[in-house]
Amino acid sequence: MNLIDKLATWEDQISPGISACVGCNVELTLRTCMKVMGPNTIFAIPPGCMGGVGVVGWDKKSGAKTPVFFPLLDNVASMLAGIKLHYEHIGRDVNVVAFAGDGATVDAGMQCLSGAAERGDKIIYICYDNEGYMNTGYQRSGSTTKGAWTSTTPVNHSGQGGKRQNKKDFPLIMAMHDIPYMATMNPAYIPDMVRKLEKAKEIKTGLVYLHVYNPCVTGWGFQSDFSIEVSRLAVESNFAPLYEVENGKFKMSVEIRNPKPVKEFLSRFKKFSHLTDEDIQELQEWTDFKINRLKHLCTL
Amino acid sequence: MNTNQNRIVAISGNKSAAMGAALSRPDLIAAYPITPQSSVVESLAQMIAQGDLNSTMIQVESEHSAMSVVQGAAVAGGRTFTATSAQGLALMYEPYFRMSTLRLPMVMAIATREMTSPETVWSGQQDAVSVRDAGWIQVYVENNQEILDMIIQGYKIAEHPDVLLPVNVCYDGFYLSHLTERVEIPHQPAVDDFLGVYHADHVSLDPDTPMAVDPLTSGEILWRYRKGHLDAMQKALQVIEQTDDAFEQVFGRRYGGVIDTYKMDDADFVIVTMGATTGTAREAVDVARSLGMKIGLLKVRFLRPFPDKKIREILSGKQGFVVIDKNVCFGWNTGVLYMEIKAAISELGHPISSMPAIGGLGGADISVDQLVTCIQVLVKQGSQQPGQLDTYWFQ
């Protein structure tokens, strides 16, 4: 079955009426992830955009068809580990899946996720990275890009401000846990996403970590019509490359032969509008350094 | 562990907790070390390794995760166990509060310990009493047999359909956790029969019966959850008594339900204790009586739900009482149990003298002699004036 047929045939696991922002590419990501994971799945959606838009059915009109739980911000992985262990204990094979934002993942919930990865708890952990605490008003997270305006790293009238530190390279951190499968995904590359999700479902030897790069319409400041276009630019500029790590082996999923300048990606967002040419040059060099390191890892 | 026959053994409080947990056959046990609890989970790990216990054990990376994994297993329908102390309990507070408010039954042992700062690892009750308003049932026990028995009873109470709340079995760190005592180990089949199989149907995460668990809940309906929780706590007072009766019928031991008393009938004054100090206080009562003081002992077993009616009945007509707290109640210049009892007797309608007493903090000992001296102060001052006496500090 080809991809279009699959997506047409598989049942949507989430109500059509959830209250995400217009043009939100996380909704598309969530819908795709839930569809591929299928009905034999237990989801945990912690506080964050997707917890807030009604996946857990808060308004009695929206919600999921699969069992879904609203875990704490900082216990997503450990809570799911307990669910999975109980199903293993009683001998039932059930997909146990997290769909968590970057705040719950790279900041508050990092300890328990690292513990679950080290122990090999058999859960699938999907992080939608929109670079901050978007549901509470666009505050900075450890996953926010350097220089970005956020509501807790404001920019003054002279154009000074923004986040002072580099973005935490969380996909690489998770890969270095030597888990059986780690992959990055992007809402502009749905076939790649579906393939990785299907592979994740087949892994029975430990934790799977999937990291989705999701530019945020409302928090980053761009028109909703361009939600997919700007997401694609993140890959085409090597800013958020698509790759996977299977049993320690790194592999690029999408090779970009002639990468676009990072400026082309950054200039699409209001949150970077105050950056100087020097700031942009620094981010270009940072991007170059990281893609070179990643490509080197792929040769090992 | 050979559980096919009734055995009498000499074991530590921690070993007794582990054996009580093992006899209750939890599906999942979370293990994380902290003094003075660590040997509870070590013992359970050993039993699983030897093939004597068919539970799944997960070695988590923190107490926050310990409470989270057992919460996950409980919401999936499993019976779970873990143990902690002090800073570990503080770290798990976030999922701890949620365990009770999700109405998920389980038993967690707390080898009680003083809270840092000053830095300490020794005994006290500050950890467990500080979470008294997090919705759990809390029982404080006197000896190692009571630890084992209350873990088994704990599951029976927790899983009762009128209750559905998690239970803490609290026992004094070091004074019980590391003390060796005679403990009778019940038959496994008898425990199996007593507890039955736990089946959760009020909440579940199961793809065969999809349920959204814990969506955002508005204040217009949230109060119903809290009222139901409070009602369950009140119903638990009855269930605790019934469980004690049922336990006695099978295992031959009873503890008096929510409270216990000693030499109370003709007593004019009462010493009130909670936990291992009770054993010392029994001796002190005997000594004080030999010196001519008409003193009785009230052992408060359950801090939550608080047995206010029973305590009111006991203290009604008495001249005065002293409450021995191995903890402090910040802002009140007393211990926590004293304030609870003060609230319970507020409707007595006649004056009664009372003395808050604080001791045993950070592992400090409270001896029989010290308790007798404390009783003498109570009798002397309490005979002269009703109302609250100055706080007595064991030094």
Side-chain angles (χ1 to χ4, degrees), chain A residues 39-40 42 56 58 65-72 74-75 78-79 82-83 85-87 89 92 94 111-112 115 119, chain B residues 27 54 56 58-62 64-65 68-69 72-73 75-76 78 94 98 205-208 210-215:
Chain A
N40 188 34
I42 294 166
V56 196
W58 65 277
K65 291 178 182 170
T66 51
V68 59
F69 180 66
F70 218 139
L72 299 170
D74 53 355
N75 82 346
S78 46
M79 170 92 196
I83 294 172
L85 282 170
H86 184 68
Y87 276 99
H89 184 75
R92 266 182 68 185
V94 172
Q111 176 180 310
C112 74
R119 284 189 302 269
Chain B
D27 297 299
N54 182 33
T56 298
I58 177 167
Q59 296 85 12
V60 289
E61 82 296 330
S62 74
H64 193 280
S65 285
S68 298
V69 294
V75 84
E94 190 188 20
R98 204 178 196 194
L205 282 173
D206 184 339
D208 290 347
M211 185 188 280
V213 176
D214 224 5

Side-chain angles (χ1 to χ4, degrees), chain A residues 100-140:
Chain A
D102 52 288
T105 305
V106 320
D107 286 348
M110 178 176 172
Q111 176 180 310
C112 74
L113 175 55
S114 176
E118 180 266 332
R119 284 189 302 269
D121 294 326
K122 297 175 191 66
I123 61 173
I124 298 170
Y125 193 107
I126 303 166
C127 170
Y128 59 100
D129 179 5
N130 50 20
E131 296 208 337
Y133 295 82
M134 295 331 202
N135 190 50
T136 44
Y138 332 120
Q139 294 87 6
R140 157 226 206 269

Side-chain angles (χ1 to χ4, degrees), chain B residues 208-277:
Chain B
D208 290 347
T209 51
M211 185 188 280
V213 176
D214 224 5
L216 284 172
T217 305
S218 71
E220 286 138 41
I221 50 174
L222 192 141
W223 70 270
R224 289 184 211 176
Y225 288 82
R226 290 292 182 268
K227 183 171 187 302
H229 197 147
L230 294 183
D231 290 346
M233 275 281 182
Q234 292 309 306
K235 285 178 187 161
L237 289 167
Q238 281 301 311
V239 173
I240 289 162
E241 305 285 346
Q242 290 161 10
T243 305
D244 201 36
D245 291 343
F247 190 85
E248 185 188 23
Q249 281 175 21
V250 180
F251 303 101
R253 288 182 295 278
R254 68 176 288 115
Y255 292 96
V258 287
I259 58 162
D260 189 23
T261 57
Y262 179 63
K263 297 194 175 173
M264 189 59 77
D265 290 347
D266 65 338
D268 293 330
F269 290 91
V270 179
I271 179 170
V272 186
T273 57
M274 187 170 76
T277 315

